[in-house]
């Protein structure tokens, strides 16, 4: 959700925002993703509604850096393009649009309007009725009047005596008056007037922001001005007065873009943490569309919430975000630190560093630390409250260790009783501590359960670095620098130690299911070791620089990600054999920080033996640049419908890592097994339509349950017969279902549904079949219909 | 070792009085300014904003309003209830007429300057006719309503008057005397929050718009006929105290009690459209305290505050060419000499508004390197404090070079004291039998042998008084210019040999008298600018004159013509940076040992002019810099030689009130740091500052 201002559709029903290569259309009322507009092969840099056709949108991508459409000039748009032959100089050109219908337009007629403009779309704005264009760069403001063909330039001194920084950061034009608002690097906003005179121009100054003004927007009538900056406060200025202003504070993170719907009822702010906030015109917070929050530093790693299957990691400062991968939405954000975050450079503030869930997701343990002159540590234990459906703070332990906590894990027992629950923390203060629940017998006490320390273990005063419970919870492995110790979790006896010098243990884990007798460890000297717990001997070892070691909770597979020659490779193996099942070499140029297996809701049927390990859960990676990636078996078209893609994509990336991964992936597939991709594709097509149809049709238009049941069951049945024979009855069933629908009274709805399907197909495979204009028509109709439904 | 041993004096505790009100005369480009102590000053904008005239204050005569009427006549009104006309030639209040309405809070003259309206404590607005010969005459009372009238403004046509009071504005019909409209200013405020709303300032535009600024910090635009609010701008959380409109009525300036001034401009909403709107454009923060008075000239915004600053902020878009007028000017200290120095006795006499202080300079027996601070062997000593009796403020004062005579003058009295130094003790005796002279004295000057006292008086005359030992005086002669003048003499200079006396009167004529024969010797050719300082060279008897446009002239008294050096300087012209300096030169002194060295100083710099060196040539592209001494010192020898010029400027001592040469090696400077002045002022309006 980056790179361009979000745009409200006419009627403020939908919000269009650029996200990577796509344009996402969200419903303003429900904040749901309504549609994904595809068509670009590169980052989308601008979205604009076509001023005359209310349902058209313009989008621009590669090499076009910003786009402006004016109601007064019907057949041309303005774009900022790099000046040919020169680097870092950009020009604003007007492009004549050809009347030809089609999604992509090749523009030939260019006429340069302004030279030397800033590449940022925020630095150019069109004035009242498109009579002039204002553009700022550095300390210069240029205003070009189209009618008079007059160019006025104004410049400010770069710095003033009081240490202000006059560099322009953004510009906005009053919709009805001759007034230009400019934002500056020192937080000032200047309102320019009379700028059609070269000398007698004048400006007034508004000052509230203490740092850069990041975006400005005038309200519909121009009576108020909105500004946003790093303070994450939306400021509304009234009538250009310095004294009258309203604030909407605590918007979470710096405001990158501000936009206003065409009827003025909604404002929308895009934030640096990959979020869009929709705000009512009375400055009341309305909705938020949250992608994966890009935290400053993910310290918690990727953790999966067993209850919601959501990915849990650092979000806003001091918060834990629960991110649902299936719906590509943030479920909620849990405030762990519970302190106001102050935006100020050089201020040390508490941050969340470790998170662990108990097996059923009933307990959550968090560690936060603040490092000033001495370390402040807090271990918090949260209990899931069924009534409020949220986590409630149960126990707060300050300074659980004397030094940084390096790892933390719960004993994964399936039993529901609390007394067997156990939490182990390891610290750099050379000990590991075991925490258990105590029941308070005092009836006066507010809560009956609380956590306290049960056992403190250490080994030769080495720093404890990792801990891990075996699957049945009977054994605890704790690594102390170069040594792995195994402890009996009931008696706390040291059972045995493993050591594979040289090199400190980077991560350890137990094998699962059939491989539970193995303990895997990775050292920072590039060895992956597997010890047999029964024989207490090294089973096998491999030379591999493993940075992430992640076991799948639902199978015996273990994923290891290595980092070699600036490229990451993935290895999936079972501990009982030294040979990996799947090797994915050099799938990513960035260092993988964390990985997590997320259980699938429905196990997928995967034909390829190579990807069998992905049947029950999906593997996600988080890279250094906080891109979330996954390993998938699906082919390109379907991948696009899956919405958990790169969310916190760096804007500068030329190619999204997803397509990168995909490309590599397919490339390798074609190398190794040519027809593999086809088979996968085939399989998927086979089993999906019936279920999809069932799930996606609104409930009130569905035929009776008794009618649907056999179809549904049929579709779920794993056929023992020949696949080709199964395919035909399925199709037949579908036909009959639609026929049934047709006989119903609600003809229009069914029609809609059919049409709903069509563009999906056409976009998916047969783009050539429909012309672009037809597609647009369809989309138009679809929009209308959706809205009609939402009335119900 | 440096060239001079400098006495750096910082114990002159002068606190200039705050600016109370101002009035601008467009034709003569003069600004009249009244201070809170009742002093009235006139600045001449044509002469580089020189403080041309100063009328010292009076304890009981506060000035609440000033206005120019009937051409160049200045009227003031104050809480004493009188309307006073000022005699700008004799620099004193001329006539006073009682308004019979209690204290007068406001006064305004109509456009043609024939009538004055005053707003009184009792709520009445009275009209006075300006009598052509002098003075004013009561004409009529307008409708009276309770509540003091704090501000008044005439409609440009002269038919209506707008009067601002507490909580309401009235528009009065001048002809009938009735209230034509009454506008409540705070009717939009909910009753629970209702506070008294003081309308501090008002302006009546020809379009019928009344602009008011009030204690809520609002600037409001009213339609007077309907009594409706057109527009309201809140400029400050504290009061908006003052308001002024430009002549074209397209711009106003507002001063607030937070020290900020704001400009509002009438701008078209759309280019080329008819609709115009008042828009707040530029804020300026030049003051720390209340801005009690603002003036809008065609090219500048002028504001005066209680922090005693007069700020002239040019409107860049209105200034035609870059020059003296295009720079921001701030005046805090008067363009007058308030310090006199007894060179031989090493005494300094400081003139305050109502008392004098005599100090003995400290001394040292050490020598040091250049720039080094020497330890004092004897601390400076406060010898004497002379308090003037009565409510009148001191016009001028002087101490004789030997330090044994002190003279000062108020508006009605002249005092001469004999100071006797007996070791460390000191005794003061008033000299009896002071000759009855036409008072006040505008300038006092002692001859270098302390034998004579020159008293500058009105009509261009100078009285010469012989000082007699052990304590007496005798009026010798009165020198008068041959042609006669109406203006008073405001500057004097006597030669070291006691033969010559130069006197400057208010019409900028410089007359030179021979003291041997007590007769007029010659007149320096008139120059179209005010003389700011003059002095006669002790050996050559050349008269050195500095003008307010920063020009320097040297006039040979024996030869009755400009010297060759002066002609050379005039031919080549002075350096641009010299000409664009902020403040006028207020004192000239000479180095007794080096005849070519002249010491000049203004508020921001001290300059030793070495006539033996070439003047810096003004280059056509104005790129040449006027390198000052500290940078010169860092240059290499050849570069230094190239840059060497006659003006040796030192900006180390700022702001400078006085500088003089005690002898050829010893310099005294009197500074008044701005911080010390602001420390003496009451705390300003509390404002929350980000990051504090």
């Amino acid at each position: 959700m980056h790179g361009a201002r979000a745009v409200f559709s006419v009627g403020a029903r939908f919000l269009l925002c650029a996200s990577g290569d796509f344009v996402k259309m969200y419903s303003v009322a429900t904040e749901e993703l309504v549609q994904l507009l595809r068509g670009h092969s590169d980052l989308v840099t601008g979205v604009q509604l076509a001023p005359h056709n209310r349902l058209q949108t313009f989008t621009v991508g590669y090499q076009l850096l910003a786009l402006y459409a004016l109601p007064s000039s019907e057949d041309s748009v303005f774009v900022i393009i790099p000046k040919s032959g020169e680097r870092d100089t950009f020009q604003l050109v007007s492009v004549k649009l050809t009347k030809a219908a089609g999604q992509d337009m090749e523009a030939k007629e260019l006429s340069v309007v302004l030279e030397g403009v800033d590449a940022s779309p925020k630095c150019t704005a069109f004035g009242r009725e498109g009579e002039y264009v204002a553009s700022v760069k550095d300390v210069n403001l240029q205003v070009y009047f189209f009618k008079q063909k007059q160019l006025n330039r104004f410049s400010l001194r770069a710095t003033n005596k009081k240490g202000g920084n006059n560099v322009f950061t953004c510009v906005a034009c009053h919709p009805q008056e001759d007034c230009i608002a400019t934002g500056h690097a020192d937080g000032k906003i200047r309102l320019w007037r009379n700028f059609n005179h070269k000398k007698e121009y004048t400006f007034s100054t508004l000052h509230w922001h203490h740092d850069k003004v990041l975006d400005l927007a005038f309200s519909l009538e121009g009576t108020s001005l909105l500004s946003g900056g790093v303070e994450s406060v939306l400021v509304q200025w009234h009538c250009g007065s310095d004294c009258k202003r309203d604030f909407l504070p605590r918007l979470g993170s710096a405001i990158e873009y501000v936009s206003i719907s065409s009827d003025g009822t909604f404002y929308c702010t895009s934030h640096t943490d990959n979020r869009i906030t929709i705000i009512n015109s009375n400055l009341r917070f309305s909705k938020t569309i949250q992608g994966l929050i890009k935290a400053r530093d993910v310290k918690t790693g990727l953790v999966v919430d067993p209850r919601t299957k959501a990915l849990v990691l650092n979000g806003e400062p001091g918060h834990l975000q629960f991110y649902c991968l299936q719906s590509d939405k943030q479920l909620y954000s849990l405030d762990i630190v519970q302190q106001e975050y102050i935006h100020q450079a050089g201020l040390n503030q508490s941050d969340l560093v470790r998170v662990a869930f108990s097996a059923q997701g009933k307990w959550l343990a968090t560690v936060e630390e603040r490092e000033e002159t001495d370390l402040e540590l807090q271990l918090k234990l949260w209990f899931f409250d069924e009534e409020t459906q949220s986590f409630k703070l149960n126990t707060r332990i300050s300074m659980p260790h004397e030094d940084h906590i390096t790892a933390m894990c719960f004993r994964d027992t399936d039993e529901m009783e609390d007394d067997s629950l156990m939490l182990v923390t390891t610290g750099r203060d050379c000990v590991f501590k075991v925490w258990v629940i105590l029941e308070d017998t005092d009836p006066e006490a507010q809560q009956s359960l609380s956590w306290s320390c049960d056992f403190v273990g250490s080994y030769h005063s080495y720093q404890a670095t990792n801990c891990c419970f075996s699957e049945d919870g009977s054994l605890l492995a704790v690594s102390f620098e170069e040594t792995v110790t195994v402890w009996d979790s009931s008696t706390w006896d040291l059972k045995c130690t493993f050591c594979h010098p040289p090199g400190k243990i980077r991560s350890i884990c137990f094998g699962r299911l059939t491989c539970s007798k193995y303990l895997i460890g990775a050292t920072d000297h590039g060895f992956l070791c597997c010890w047999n717990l029964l024989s207490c001997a090294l089973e096998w070892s491999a030379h591999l620089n493993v940075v992430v070691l992640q076991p799948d909770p639902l199978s015996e597979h273990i994923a290891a990600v290595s980092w070699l020659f600036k490229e990451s490779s993935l290895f999936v193996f079972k501990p009982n054999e030294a040979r990996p099942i799947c090797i994915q070499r050099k799938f990513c140029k960035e260092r993988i920080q964390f990985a997590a297996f997320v259980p699938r809701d429905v196990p997928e049927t995967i034909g390829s033996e190579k990807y069998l390990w992905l049947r029950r859960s999906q593997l996600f990676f988080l890279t250094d640049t906080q891109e979330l990636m996954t390993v998938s078996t699906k082919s390109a078209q379907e991948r696009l419908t899956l919405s958990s893609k790169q969310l916190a994509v760096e804007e500068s990336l030329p190619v999204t890592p997803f397509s990168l991964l995909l490309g590599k992936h397919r490339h390798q597939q074609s190398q190794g097994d040519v027809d593999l991709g086809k088979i996968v594709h085939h399989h998927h097509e086979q089993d999906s339509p019936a279920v999809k149809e069932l799930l996606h049709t609104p409930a009130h238009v569905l035929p009776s349950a008794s009618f649907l049941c056999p179809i549904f069951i049929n579709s779920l049945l794993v056929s023992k017969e020949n696949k080709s024979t199964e395919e035909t009855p399925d199709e037949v069933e579908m036909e009959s279902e639609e026929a049934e629908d047709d006989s119903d009274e609600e003809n229009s709805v069914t029609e809609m549904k059919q049409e709903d399907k069509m563009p999906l197909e056409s976009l998916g495979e047969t783009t050539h079949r429909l012309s672009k204009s037809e597609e647009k028509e369809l989309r138009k109709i679809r929009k209308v219909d959706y809205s009609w439904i939402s009335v119900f | 070792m440096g060239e001079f041993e400098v006495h750096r004096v910082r114990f002159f505790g002068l606190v200039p009085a705050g600016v109370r009100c101002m009035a601008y005369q467009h034709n003569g480009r003069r600004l009249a300014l009244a201070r809170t102590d009742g002093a009235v000053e006139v600045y001449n904008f044509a002469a580089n904003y020189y403080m041309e005239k100063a009328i010292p204050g009076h304890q009981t005569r506060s000035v609440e309003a000033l206005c120019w009427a009937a051409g160049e006549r200045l009227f003031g009104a104050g809480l004493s209830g009188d309307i006073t006309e000022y005699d700008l030639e004799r620099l004193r209040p001329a006539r006073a007429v009682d308004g019979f309405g209690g204290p007068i809070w406001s006064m305004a003259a109509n456009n043609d300057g024939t009538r004055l309206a005053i707003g009184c404590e009792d709520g009445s607005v009275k009209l006075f006719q300006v009598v052509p010969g002098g003075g004013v005459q009561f004409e009529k009372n307008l409708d009276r309503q309770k509540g003091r009238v704090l501000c008044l403004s005439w409609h440009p046509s002269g038919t209506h008057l707008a009067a601002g009071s507490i909580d309401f504005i009235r528009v009065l019909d001048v002809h009938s005397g009735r209230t034509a409209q009454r506008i409540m200013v705070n009717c939009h405020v909910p009753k629970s929050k209702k506070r008294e709303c003081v309308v501090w300032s008002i302006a009546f535009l020809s379009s019928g718009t009344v602009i008011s600024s009030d204690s809520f910090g609002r600037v409001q635009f009213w339609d007077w006929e309907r009594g409706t609010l057109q527009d309201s701008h809140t400029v400050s959380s504290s009061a908006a105290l003052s308001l002024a409109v430009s002549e074209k009525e397209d711009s106003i300036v507002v001063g607030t009690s937070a020290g900020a001034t704001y400009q509002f401009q009438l701008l078209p909403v759309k280019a080329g459209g008819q609709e115009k709107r008042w828009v707040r454009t530029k804020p300026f923060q030049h003051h720390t305290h209340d801005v009690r008075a603002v003036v809008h000239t065609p090219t500048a915004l002028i504001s005066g505050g209680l922090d005693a600053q007069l700020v002239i902020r040019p409107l860049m878009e209105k200034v035609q060419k870059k020059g003296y007028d295009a720079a921001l000017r701030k005046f805090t200290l008067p363009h007058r000499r308030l310090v006199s120095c007894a060179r031989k006795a090493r005494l300094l006499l400081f003139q305050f508004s109502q008392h004098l202080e005599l100090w003995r300079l400290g001394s040292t027996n050490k020598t040091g390197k250049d720039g080094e601070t020497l330890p004092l062997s004897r601390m400076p000593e406060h010898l004497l404090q002379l308090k003037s009796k009565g409510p009148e403020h001191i016009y001028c004062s002087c101490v004789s070079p030997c330090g044994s005579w002190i003279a000062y003058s108020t508006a009605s009295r002249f005092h001469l004291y004999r100071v006797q130094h007996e070791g460390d003790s000191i005794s003061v005796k008033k000299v009896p039998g002071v000759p009855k002279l036409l008072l006040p004295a505008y300038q006092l000057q002692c001859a270098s042998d302390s034998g004579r006292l020159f008293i500058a008086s009105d009509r261009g005359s100078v009285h010469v008084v012989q000082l007699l030992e052990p304590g007496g005086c005798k009026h010798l002669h009165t020198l008068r210019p041959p042609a006669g003048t109406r203006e008073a003499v405001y500057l004097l200079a006597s030669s070291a040999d006691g033969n010559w006396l130069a006197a400057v009167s208010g019409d900028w004529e410089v007359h030179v008298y021979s003291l041997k024969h007590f007769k007029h010797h010659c007149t320096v050719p008139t120059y179209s600018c005010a003389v700011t300082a003059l002095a006669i060279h002790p050996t050559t008897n050349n008269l050195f004159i500095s003008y307010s446009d920063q020009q320097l002239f040297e006039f040979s008294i024996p030869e009755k013509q400009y010297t060759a050096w002066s002609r050379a300087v005039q031919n080549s012209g002075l350096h641009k940076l010299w000409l664009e300096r902020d403040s006028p030169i207020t004192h000239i002194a000479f180095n007794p040992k080096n005849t070519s060295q002249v010491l000049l100083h203004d508020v921001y710099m001290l300059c030793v002019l070495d006539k033996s060196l070439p003047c810096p040539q003004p280059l056509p592209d104005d790129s040449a810099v006027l390198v000052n001494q500290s940078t010169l010192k860092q240059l290499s020898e050849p570069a230094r030689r190239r840059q060497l010029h006659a003006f040796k400027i030192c900006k180390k001592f700022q702001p400078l009130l006085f500088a003089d040469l005690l002898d050829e090696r010893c310099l005294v400077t009197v500074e008044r740091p701005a911080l010390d002045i602001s420390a003496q002022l009451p705390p300003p309006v509390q404002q929350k500052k980000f990051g504090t």
Side-chain angles (χ1 to χ4, degrees), chain B residues 213-228:
Chain B
S213 70
D214 60 33
S215 58
F216 291 177
R218 296 177 301 190
V219 177
Q220 295 182 310
F221 298 82
W222 308 86
D223 181 331
W224 85 265
E225 274 174 274
R226 292 179 194 83
T228 49

Side-chain angles (χ1 to χ4, degrees), chain B residues 100-155:
Chain B
F100 292 108
I104 299 170
W105 289 96
S106 53
M107 178 167 66
N110 66 352
N111 251 11
D112 44 4
T114 53
R115 281 161 150 185
L116 290 179
I118 57 164
C120 305
E121 171 77 21
D122 65 353
S124 61
V125 176
K126 292 163 197 268
L127 289 187
F128 285 80
Q129 198 101 42
V130 179
V131 179
V136 288
Q137 193 177 34
F138 177 74
E139 188 184 346
K140 68 158 133 188
N141 264 323
L142 301 185
D143 207 5
R144 188 185 137 190
Q145 275 186 20
K146 210 165 172 263
R148 62 174 65 140
V149 179
L150 286 162
C151 48
L152 279 173
S153 177
W154 287 84
H155 188 268

Side-chain angles (χ1 to χ4, degrees), chain A residues 176-178 199 202-204, chain B residues 265 269-271 277 281 319:
Chain A
Q176 290 179 351
E177 295 171 17
D178 283 342
K199 202 165 178 198
T202 176
F203 59 79
S204 55
Chain B
Q265 280 176 282
V269 168
K270 292 173 187 175
R277 186 161 354 121
T281 51
V319 179

Side-chain angles (χ1 to χ4, degrees), chain A residues 262-278:
Chain A
S262 56
D263 57 358
T265 49
F266 289 104
Y267 305 146
C268 143
T269 53
S270 312
H271 299 262
T272 45
D273 68 349
N274 197 21
R275 186 157 49 98
I276 292 175
T277 309
I278 301 169

Side-chain angles (χ1 to χ4, degrees), chain B residues 15 19 48 98 148 208 232 384 399 417 451 471 482 521 538 543 553 648 667 670 684-685:
Chain B
V15 181
V19 176
N48 280 12
D98 196 339
R148 62 174 65 140
S232 177
L384 190 66
V399 63
Y417 292 92
H521 176 71
L543 180 64
F553 286 93
K648 294 175 178 168
L667 184 71
V670 181
V685 175

Side-chain angles (χ1 to χ4, degrees), chain B residues 273-285:
Chain B
Q274 286 301 308
E275 194 190 347
K276 288 190 171 187
R277 186 161 354 121
W278 286 99
V279 180
R280 186 178 71 77
T281 51
K282 291 173 211 132
F284 305 106
Q285 181 85 45

